[in-house]
Amino acid sequence: GMLQSRLTQAWGARAGVLVASSCFALAHLDPQHVLLVLPVGLWLGALAWLTGSVLPAMLAHAVHNALSIL
């Protein structure tokens, strides 16, 4: 949350969400996984930005992971 909020303040919402989401995807390390996680990161980043809180994005991430496991 801190990275994205700082980036959006400095660069605007689109660039901040894009860069933070890219960092989120890169943190998954596996190249194929990175490409699949980037859209999820963009969705979660937009959700956090639109709501002004990371809590909805955290909940969505937990639900996404649970559904992926099932």
Side-chain angles (χ1 to χ4, degrees):
M2 185 174 77
L3 174 66
Q4 182 171 302
S5 64
R6 299 282 192 247
L7 290 172
T8 56
Q9 287 175 353
W11 297 346
R14 286 185 184 180
V17 170
L18 178 63
V19 172
S21 298
S22 297
C23 291
F24 171 79
L26 289 171
H28 288 81
L29 301 178
D30 176 29
Q32 290 178 331
H33 200 155
V34 167
L35 293 176
L36 296 172
V37 172
L38 182 58
V40 176
L42 290 168
W43 173 59
L44 295 173
L47 183 60
W49 178 74
L50 289 169
T51 62
S53 173
V54 296
L55 294 178
M58 290 171 61
L59 178 61
H61 189 282
V63 170
H64 176 267
N65 285 354
L67 292 174
S68 296
I69 291 170
L70 296 175

